[in-house]
Amino acid sequence: PEVPSWRLVLTLALAGALSALALSVVNELTLPAIEATRAAVLREAVAEVLGAPKAVTSLLVTPQGLVADETIQYMEVKDEERVYLGFADEAKTEPIGFALVGKKFGYGSDPIKLAFGYDASTGEVIGLKVLEHKETPGIGTKIEDDPAFAGQWSRPVGDGTRRTTARLARADAPLVAVRSDANPASDAEVERHEVDTISGATISSKAVIKIVNDRVRTLGSKLSAWNPEEGR
């Protein structure tokens, strides 16, 4: 016999409702674990881009400037509303630099999310760590696993060979993307505001550069004005 249309609609509605309820329950049960994992990843990234600081102060970004928040709740507010100041000593008298988080779309379906260390007194990018991305495997993923690209974001180490000079990023002089095969062979001849892009993954490379430039342009003056001794 022919099934009435209302029964088909009712069956689909009930199935949809049950599915939505199941997803909601699963989400509620797993959300704390997911948030805890993300917080741990971000905490490790902050330590990495700041060179293993002895102490970290969490700062909230407000229209008036930065405000100290010693709770260091890594996932409590949006990443763009919080920065982290690292210190070389537990007494918090020797600042290393700030860790900032940002995200932009590259070539993938989801935005690239990363954390980077920034010395506001010199304008140097002192470290960078990709947190999340869905770039093309084997091409765009090089923003995370290509040593030649990742090595550009650290302070000089070793003998100062090419791509180990710290990048300079300022609000009035942002980083610029250049082709890696167009650069001079000597690091001494490479401008410190230039970043080698990844061959075949220019869009992903430029997205990383844009994240750094945008965060420095947006927060540069507030970072420079922060006084650890006064807490403002």
Side-chain angles (χ1 to χ4, degrees):
E2 184 177 347
V3 179
S5 58
W6 65 267
R7 289 186 62 182
L8 295 175
V9 173
L10 180 60
T11 301
L12 290 174
L14 288 174
L18 289 174
S19 298
L21 178 61
L23 289 173
S24 178
V25 171
V26 171
N27 182 68
E28 288 296 324
L29 292 175
T30 58
L31 185 59
I34 293 173
E35 293 295 339
T37 300
R38 287 178 176 172
V41 169
L42 180 56
R43 188 179 297 110
E44 292 175 1
V46 168
E48 180 175 336
V49 301
L50 293 179
K54 296 294 184 181
V56 175
T57 292
S58 177
L59 305 172
L60 294 176
V61 179
T62 71
Q64 294 73 34
L66 303 179
V67 178
D69 177 17
E70 294 296 342
T71 57
I72 313 184
Q73 298 298 317
Y74 284 85
M75 302 300 293
E76 185 177 288
V77 298
K78 294 181 180 179
D79 298 321
E80 292 80 4
E81 298 174 358
R82 190 187 292 274
V83 299
Y84 306 92
L85 177 59
F87 296 87
D89 62 323
E90 295 182 357
K92 298 183 178 181
T93 61
E94 302 177 29
I96 297 172
F98 296 91
L100 296 80
V101 179
K103 56 186 176 182
K104 294 285 181 187
F105 277 97
Y107 193 80
S109 58
D110 288 347
I112 297 169
K113 180 179 178 181
L114 58 81
F116 68 96
Y118 183 71
D119 186 338
S121 63
T122 63
E124 291 181 340
V125 178
I126 58 179
L128 184 142
K129 175 73 172 179
V130 175
L131 300 173
E132 300 174 8
H133 72 83
K134 287 190 177 179
E135 300 301 284
T136 306
I139 302 177
T141 52
K142 290 182 179 180
I143 61 173
E144 181 178 13
D145 53 31
D146 184 350
F149 183 75
Q152 297 181 85
W153 304 99
S154 302
R155 273 185 170 147
V157 293
D159 58 0
T161 53
R162 187 171 176 228
R163 297 193 182 95
T164 59
T165 302
R167 305 298 93 177
L168 287 179
R170 297 182 181 276
D172 58 345
L175 297 169
V176 295
V178 296
R179 287 170 45 196
S180 58
D181 57 356
N183 274 355
S186 170
D187 185 62
E189 301 172 22
V190 179
E191 296 292 338
R192 296 181 68 190
H193 66 285
E194 294 181 346
V195 178
D196 290 345
T197 58
I198 301 170
S199 178
T202 304
I203 295 177
S204 302
S205 305
K206 288 185 175 179
V208 171
I209 296 169
K210 184 172 176 56
I211 292 172
V212 175
N213 282 337
D214 286 356
R215 298 301 286 147
V216 170
R217 181 172 58 251
T218 301
L219 297 177
S221 60
K222 293 180 180 179
L223 301 179
S224 300
W226 172 257
N227 188 323
E229 295 182 359
E230 297 179 3
R232 59 182 177 84

